[in-house]
């Protein structure tokens, strides 16, 4: 048991919920954040988690808004406690061929998936630097590593997250802060289930393990990176993709 806070953006989502649960099991006080449009769903989610034996704090923050992120982080530091772990998990898709992609769908994905990582990390970093302690874990994607047909926006943002991870890890390594990314493959969440069934089946057939991943399989990896067992890992990317993309 520890008294530190773990803040999970997109913490009410398919992967985010499971990450919140894992960090709670590992003894953190978990603050799950949600985009303001989803705040009305928060009570329902909190009740659902309570039935399963979990207590969470939910905060509203639009990760695309730098000022809002800063205010929310200050509020959590003051009213809940020191943020030891930041998990940047908020993300969206707006899939289409580039030739059909509106500028708004490029902007939405880049500002949520990549600017959001800057906005949240920058807001938390000064607190971590002062304490000389912290774990930053960015949820990227296999499609940021290999590119995916129909996802120029998403692949660019997710690849950018890892560039951010590698660069920041070097800046803060001497200050007791580790920065890593996790790259999920196709995980059984609403985001993946929204893909047309025929296309999805075709994608699954290309996965060596011949199945989608489970949110818990991502959460377990995040739990490990947040733990003392991962103390010498920084600037790394851990793929969790059933063998869909292999590299070293
Ligand atoms: N490689 C090569 N060609 C492909 C292809 C691929 N991966 N996918 C589709 N095509 C071809 C099709 O065969 C088709 O060719 P023909 O016209 O010759 O028949 C052509 O491209 C058009 O394909 P669609 O009919 O699918 O076109 P569409 O306009 O209806 O849809 C799309 C385009 C929205 C991009 C759709 O293909 C799609 O949803 N693809 C899946 C994208 C994807 O994987 N998204 C992941 C979301 S989940 C996520 O992102 C989480 C994570 O981190 C993994």
């Amino acid at each position: 048991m520890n008294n530190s806070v773990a803040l999970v953006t997109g913490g009410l989502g398919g992967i985010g919920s499971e990450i919140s649960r894992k960090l709670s099991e590992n003894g953190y006080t978990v603050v799950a954040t949600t985009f303001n449009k989803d705040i009305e769903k928060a009570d329902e989610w909190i009740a659902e988690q309570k039935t399963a034996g979990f207590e969470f704090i939910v905060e509203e923050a639009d990760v695309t808004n730098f000022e809002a992120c800063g205010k929310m982080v200050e509020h959590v530091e003051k009213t809940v406690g020191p943020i030891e772990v930041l998990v940047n998990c908020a993300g969206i898709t707006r899939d289409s061929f580039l030739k059909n992609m509106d500028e708004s769908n490029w902007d939405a994905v880049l500002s949520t998936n990549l600017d959001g990582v800057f906005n949240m990390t920058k807001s938390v970093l000064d607190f971590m630097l002062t304490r000389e302690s912290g774990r930053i874990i960015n949820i990227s994607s296999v499609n940021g590593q290999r590119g995916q047909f129909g996802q120029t926006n998403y692949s660019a943002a997710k690849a950018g997250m890892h560039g951010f991870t590698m660069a920041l890890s070097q800046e803060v390594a001497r200050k007791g802060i580790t920065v890593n990314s996790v790259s999920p493959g196709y995980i059984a969440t609403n985001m993946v289930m929204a893909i047309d069934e025929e296309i999805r089946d075709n994608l699954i057939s290309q996965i060596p393990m011949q199945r989608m991943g489970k949110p818990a399989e991502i959460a377990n990896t995040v739990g490990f990176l947040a733990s003392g067992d991962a103390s010498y890992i920084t600037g790394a990317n851990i793929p969790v993709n059933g063998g869909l993309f292999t590299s070293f």
Side-chain angles (χ1 to χ4, degrees), residues 193-248:
M193 298 317 276
I195 305 172
D196 178 86
E197 195 177 353
E198 201 180 319
I199 296 173
R200 196 173 64 234
D201 287 346
N202 184 267
L203 287 164
I204 295 169
S205 73
Q206 294 163 34
I207 302 170
M209 285 193 188
Q210 295 286 291
R211 67 167 176 89
M212 287 188 279
K214 301 172 192 150
E217 290 171 317
I218 305 305
N220 290 341
T221 309
V222 172
F224 165 67
L225 285 173
S227 77
D229 290 344
S231 51
Y232 201 53
I233 301 177
T234 196
N237 175 51
I238 303 194
V240 186
N241 63 30
L244 179 58
F245 178 76
T246 52
S247 64
F248 71 96

Side-chain angles (χ1 to χ4, degrees), residues 93 95-97 100 140-143 146 148-151 154 158 184-187 191-192 195-196 199 202-203 206:
T93 53
D95 295 353
S96 77
F97 297 115
N100 299 331
S140 182
S141 167
V142 64
N143 291 343
R146 61 170 198 162
Q148 167 61 37
F149 190 103
Q151 288 198 305
Y154 187 86
K158 293 297 189 181
Y186 284 81
I187 308 300
M191 183 186 273
V192 169
I195 305 172
D196 178 86
I199 296 173
N202 184 267
L203 287 164
Q206 294 163 34

Side-chain angles (χ1 to χ4, degrees), residues 151-197:
Q151 288 198 305
T152 48
N153 48 4
Y154 187 86
S155 299
K158 293 297 189 181
M161 278 172 88
H162 190 56
F164 178 94
T165 300
M166 292 189 287
L168 182 63
S169 68
Q170 296 175 37
E171 293 182 17
V172 298
R174 277 173 295 176
K175 295 289 184 183
I177 303 168
T178 67
V179 191
N180 293 292
S181 54
V182 175
S183 289
Y186 284 81
I187 308 300
T189 61
N190 290 342
M191 183 186 273
V192 169
M193 298 317 276
I195 305 172
D196 178 86
E197 195 177 353

